[in-house]
Amino acid sequence: MAHAAGWSVPLAIAVFFSAYVIAGIARTHHIETALGSSAYSSSPHPPPRYLLWLLLPGALCWAACTLAEVALARTLGGDYPSLGPWAWAPGSALPRKVRDTIGGIDRKLGSVGGGCLAVAALAAAGPLIVIGWSMFTSSAIVLWALIVLAATAVHLLSVRARLAAWRQRRSLNADLSR
């Protein structure tokens, strides 16, 4: 069970660090909006405590994921994988597919090189990045909350699926041993 709780530490760091960054973005956006508005120009209101309001749902989502993983580890006992929820990663074909795709693009480009193409793509996408960033800063908190809630839901569903697969393998092994 200690392994299950230990695997949640990187998740906690990611959630709490991203909450800190998003709170800073939201605070800066609030101050810029207040200073740019004529209604607030005489006495701008202090920004809300964004970090506190982001840490609360972040901590609840992290706790739910950790408790689910610990409960799964307790149920599986010795069958709980040593890599925890990341046990699928070493056998995954995703890194190989990404490497093959990038290699295929590199072979197609030949001597043209990807550096010029990357600069051209960045120059074309630059305005889109600026527009996207301004839209992101105005709704950063909402997007962060949706991403954290969606990730929590996906993790809880994966815990349920891993438990169901384990029970199925266990019942199949019990039937074969009879």
Side-chain angles (χ1 to χ4, degrees):
M1 285 194 295
H3 283 96
W7 284 110
S8 72
V9 172
L11 176 66
I13 292 170
V15 167
F16 297 142
F17 180 74
S18 66
Y20 177 76
V21 170
I22 296 299
I25 290 170
R27 183 179 189 278
T28 302
H29 181 73
H30 175 83
I31 291 171
E32 288 173 357
T33 303
L35 292 176
S37 173
S38 61
Y40 290 115
S41 61
S42 61
S43 62
H45 297 284
R49 300 203 180 271
Y50 291 113
L51 184 58
L52 176 66
W53 293 109
L54 289 177
L55 287 179
L56 182 65
L60 290 174
C61 288
W62 172 73
C65 289
T66 302
L67 289 174
E69 203 63 41
V70 168
L72 179 69
R74 184 172 186 215
T75 302
L76 269 59
D79 291 339
Y80 187 76
S82 60
L83 293 177
W86 312 108
W88 59 270
S92 175
L94 184 65
R96 182 181 43 82
K97 287 183 181 181
V98 169
R99 190 174 52 245
D100 291 346
T101 302
I102 292 172
I105 292 170
D106 195 32
R107 280 189 296 278
K108 287 178 185 175
L109 288 175
S111 64
V112 172
C116 260
L117 208 57
V119 170
L122 187 60
L128 295 175
I129 292 170
V130 171
I131 292 169
W133 181 254
S134 66
M135 288 173 38
F136 173 74
T137 57
S138 64
S139 59
I141 290 179
V142 175
L143 289 174
W144 181 87
L146 289 175
I147 289 169
V148 168
L149 290 174
T152 302
V154 166
H155 181 259
L156 294 177
L157 289 173
S158 76
V159 166
R160 182 178 175 200
R162 289 187 287 154
L163 181 61
W166 176 77
R167 284 184 176 153
Q168 185 178 14
R169 280 192 311 268
R170 192 171 129 199
S171 67
L172 183 65
N173 289 341
D175 289 343
L176 290 175
S177 65
R178 288 182 197 180

